[in-house]
Amino acid sequence: HSHKHTRTHHVPEQVVSYLEPLTGLSKSSLDKQGIGLEEAMLKVREKLPKNAVLVGQNIGKDVEWLQLKEGEDFAGMIDLAVLIRVWNPKYGSLTYFGLDHAASCWLGKANDGAAHNAETDAIKSMQIFNLYCRAQNDAAELQRLHEALLSRPVAPSFAKLNPEYEGCCMGNKKSCTCGAPFFS
């Protein structure tokens, strides 16, 4: 089951760029709706059921950033990146796909360069998860879904299109401008 929760925007102490085309956030939207991190975390912990299973693309990074503890703040996680990875015979390895590509291929919901929105990403995540759950024991359907991911070109990410945006390096390994280390 998916549950709707209160939308919360944290206002950081210092902002270099709002990355509005990527995040959909601006100074005025955060001035109107933003709250401090401590208050935001209190709201998240208050609303998050202890038996919740969090589903999302690379959800571990969100949990890490939010400083949530599995088994304490919530019951578990399901990483969509792992569920929708596909063995790619062309490269002899697994290929991982982003949420937008999976939503486009499996749900017919292309992002078309629109700014990300956490609420719609959460809805797409649950729709992809539910579709995967229905297909996981049907080898032919799972194969069809995998082929859809492999056969369609992946739209370039914001980071590929904008290696640096408003003075912020987007962290693309091939076009990094800040020299920060990469960890795999």
Side-chain angles (χ1 to χ4, degrees):
H1 297 105
S2 59
H3 300 278
K4 184 171 174 120
H5 292 281
T6 303
R7 186 178 349 173
T8 304
H9 297 298
H10 157 59
V11 180
E13 290 180 25
Q14 179 185 8
V15 176
V16 175
S17 171
Y18 293 91
L19 303 171
E20 190 170 353
L22 177 64
T23 65
L25 299 174
S26 66
K27 179 173 180 8
S28 65
S29 69
L30 286 182
D31 284 348
K32 288 179 198 166
Q33 301 171 341
I35 59 175
L37 181 59
E38 192 172 308
E39 183 182 349
M41 290 310 305
L42 283 171
K43 286 185 176 202
V44 167
R45 285 193 169 91
E46 177 185 293
K47 297 276 186 185
L48 187 62
K50 301 286 187 221
N51 65 346
V53 176
L54 306 179
V55 175
Q57 186 78 3
N58 297 315
I59 192 71
K61 285 293 179 192
D62 295 310
V63 167
E64 179 183 327
W65 189 88
L66 292 168
Q67 299 176 4
L68 296 172
K69 302 271 187 275
E70 188 172 7
E72 186 177 314
D73 295 311
F74 63 96
M77 295 181 274
I78 296 175
D79 188 348
L80 289 180
V82 173
L83 291 186
I84 62 176
R85 66 185 178 183
V86 177
W87 179 257
N88 191 330
K90 179 178 177 181
Y91 301 110
S93 64
L94 290 169
T95 297
Y96 290 81
F97 297 97
L99 181 65
D100 288 338
H101 186 67
S104 177
C105 293
W106 289 8
L107 306 174
K109 296 180 179 180
N111 198 35
D112 294 329
H116 280 268
N117 175 305
E119 195 170 348
T120 57
D121 281 356
I123 291 166
K124 285 190 259 185
S125 293
M126 289 309 303
Q127 291 171 334
I128 288 168
F129 175 69
N130 288 331
L131 180 62
Y132 178 86
C133 287
R134 287 191 304 271
Q136 69 181 336
N137 295 318
D138 181 340
E141 178 62 7
L142 203 52
Q143 181 64 28
R144 186 188 71 73
L145 292 171
H146 286 173
E147 286 173 3
L149 291 169
L150 286 171
S151 66
R152 295 188 191 159
V154 177
S157 68
F158 184 85
K160 281 189 180 177
L161 294 172
N162 305 279
E164 184 176 312
Y165 187 83
E166 295 180 350
C168 295
C169 177
M170 293 293 102
N172 185 313
K173 280 186 183 185
K174 293 180 182 174
S175 57
C176 175
T177 59
C178 71
F182 289 94
F183 303 98
S184 40

